[in-house]
Amino acid sequence: MNKPTELMLVDASVVPDVFKKVLTAKQLLESGEVKTINEAVEKTNISRSAYYKYKDHVFDFNQMHGVLTLMAVVVDMKGILSEILRIISSVNCSVLTINQSVPTDGVASVSITIKTDAMAVGVDRLITELNKISGVRSVKIVAKQ
């Protein structure tokens, strides 16, 4: 009987370098910077066997698309939710749900679930842009499907 696949999200700073190099090789191939797997593995200094061993098991979190739930802590001020939604829309994401708590001590929590299939930027870039909004205290990813 086959064991179900277990997935985990791990900080890149604690994984072996070979995983990062496999991601780099995949990106080189996808971008067209290199034409063959041989070129990609030479450029990243990994073996072909390492590439083939991990290529279907290591993915760049920022390139994965689907459904993402964000949790933002925002100051209770006029227009802040509109600005958050404007940025989400500007990167071609669709909003599926929005839930906001009643502000306490001048701040509120906002949970926003978005569809990222057509997202024009990486997840990290979206989070960075949302954190730049005046009145946004923090934005974190709380779920990804």
Side-chain angles (χ1 to χ4, degrees):
M1 186 172 201
N2 286 343
K3 181 178 149 185
T5 301
E6 287 186 51
L7 300 175
M8 59 178 69
L9 184 61
V10 180
D11 187 314
S13 67
V14 299
V15 299
D17 281 342
V18 68
F19 294 157
K20 297 174 207 172
K21 290 178 178 184
V22 168
L23 281 177
T24 301
K26 288 171 63 172
Q27 291 165 349
L28 290 169
L29 287 161
E30 288 172 14
S31 71
E33 188 175 328
V34 298
K35 301 291 183 218
T36 67
I37 292 169
N38 280 340
E39 289 178 280
V41 298
E42 282 180 24
K43 198 163 194 165
T44 56
N45 198 28
I46 57 173
S47 68
R48 283 176 54 88
S49 62
Y51 175 80
Y52 281 110
K53 181 176 182 178
Y54 298 119
K55 75 176 182 69
D56 295 327
H57 303 284
V58 180
F59 305 97
D60 184 346
F61 181 79
N62 293 311
Q63 301 303 317
M64 296 175 67
H65 297 291
V67 176
L68 185 68
T69 302
L70 305 172
M71 180 63 69
V73 176
V74 300
V75 174
D76 181 23
M77 56 190 269
K78 182 179 176 183
I80 195 158
L81 186 55
S82 295
E83 183 63 13
I84 290 170
L85 296 176
R86 185 193 68 73
I87 289 175
I88 290 170
S89 176
S90 75
V91 298
N92 296 330
C93 290
S94 302
V95 175
L96 301 175
T97 65
I98 302 172
N99 293 298
Q100 180 175 338
S101 69
V102 175
T104 304
D105 295 327
V107 296
S109 295
V110 181
S111 170
I112 304 172
T113 301
I114 59 175
K115 188 170 181 180
T116 61
D117 291 346
M119 189 160 62
V121 299
V123 174
D124 56 343
R125 174 80 184 272
L126 173 61
I127 301 298
T128 298
E129 292 304 313
L130 293 173
N131 276 309
K132 288 180 183 176
I133 299 171
S134 177
V136 170
R137 295 260 175 97
S138 67
V139 178
K140 296 178 186 174
I141 299 167
V142 293
K144 185 162 178 114
Q145 299 174 6

